[in-house]
């Protein structure tokens, strides 16, 4: 088991891109690790926690407590920032050829491959905490105690 050291606070999320592992932290940073456990890239564009990472095609999406989503190339180049949420972005999922995000602003947003917001859903009364694609549908969970 490799021990990868570098983040200055809790690690909230992991994803894999090819043979590399990406980690997102409360310190607002993202690190890319190789199979030997060496940090091969360090990115810091978020000013709050990185809460979720999602791979879609050749891009990685990162959701943050700073209410933004960043879109990265596989090698860690920042391609764009997605803005629209008014509170922390807590979760991401891929569904219907789009990325979906859930937020503390009680909404879910649908984003296209270019990072444009296509739709806003206001179905929850409190923070949207989790998203899941299952059975051909997108499911969401919230602090309001509902699953939709």
């Amino acid at each position: 088991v490799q021990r990868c050291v570098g983040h200055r606070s809790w690690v909230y999320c992991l994803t894999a891109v090819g043979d590399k592992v990406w980690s997102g932290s409360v310190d607002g940073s993202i690190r890319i690790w190789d199979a030997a456990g060496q940090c091969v890239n360090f990115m810091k564009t978020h000013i709050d926690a990185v809460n979720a990472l999602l791979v879609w095609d050749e891009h990685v999406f990162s959701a943050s407590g700073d209410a933004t989503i960043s879109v990265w190339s596989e090698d860690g180049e920042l391609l764009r920032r997605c803005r629209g949420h008014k509170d922390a972005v807590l979760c991401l999922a891929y569904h219907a050829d789009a990325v979906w995000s859930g937020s503390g602003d009680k909404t879910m947003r649908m984003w296209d491959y270019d990072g444009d917001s296509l739709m806003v859903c206001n179905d929850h009364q409190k923070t949207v905490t989790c998203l899941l694609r299952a059975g051909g549908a997108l499911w969401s969970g919230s602090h309001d105690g509902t699953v939709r």
Side-chain angles (χ1 to χ4, degrees):
V1 175
Q2 296 294 338
R3 183 168 189 254
C4 305
V5 179
H7 288 293
R8 295 174 190 226
S9 192
W10 307 334
V11 174
Y12 265 178
C13 50
L14 298 170
T15 196
V17 180
D19 63 349
K20 305 275 190 302
V21 172
W22 289 47
S23 58
S25 172
V26 170
D27 66 15
S29 72
I30 297 170
R31 290 181 180 263
I32 303 176
W33 308 91
D34 66 15
Q38 297 299 309
C39 181
V40 296
N41 203 342
F42 169 82
M43 297 90 77
K44 176 89 167 127
T45 61
H46 292 295
I47 57 171
D48 205 331
V50 177
N51 297 315
L53 294 168
L54 175 75
V55 178
W56 178 16
D57 198 17
E58 296 177 359
H59 293 112
V60 178
F61 290 72
S62 60
S64 176
D66 64 13
T68 68
I69 298 167
S70 292
V71 184
W72 307 88
S73 69
E74 289 181 332
D75 61 358
E77 176 189 353
L78 180 64
L79 302 174
R80 68 190 63 87
R81 303 258 325 221
C82 308
R83 290 178 170 81
H85 283 293
K86 296 183 180 10
D87 202 340
V89 184
L90 300 172
C91 50
L92 298 168
Y94 173 79
H95 176 69
D97 226 16
V99 169
W100 288 80
S101 57
S103 172
D105 66 10
K106 308 174 194 173
T107 68
M108 297 184 317
R109 284 185 177 261
M110 178 183 186
W111 307 88
D112 68 12
Y113 195 72
D114 294 322
D116 295 319
S117 181
L118 303 175
M119 181 187 314
V120 180
C121 298
N122 299 296
D123 296 332
H124 287 288
Q125 301 303 309
K126 293 187 178 178
T127 298
V128 179
T129 56
C130 52
L131 297 170
L132 174 70
R133 178 183 172 184
L138 181 68
W139 295 73
S140 60
S142 170
H143 281 178
D144 63 18
T146 65
V147 175
R148 297 179 180 265

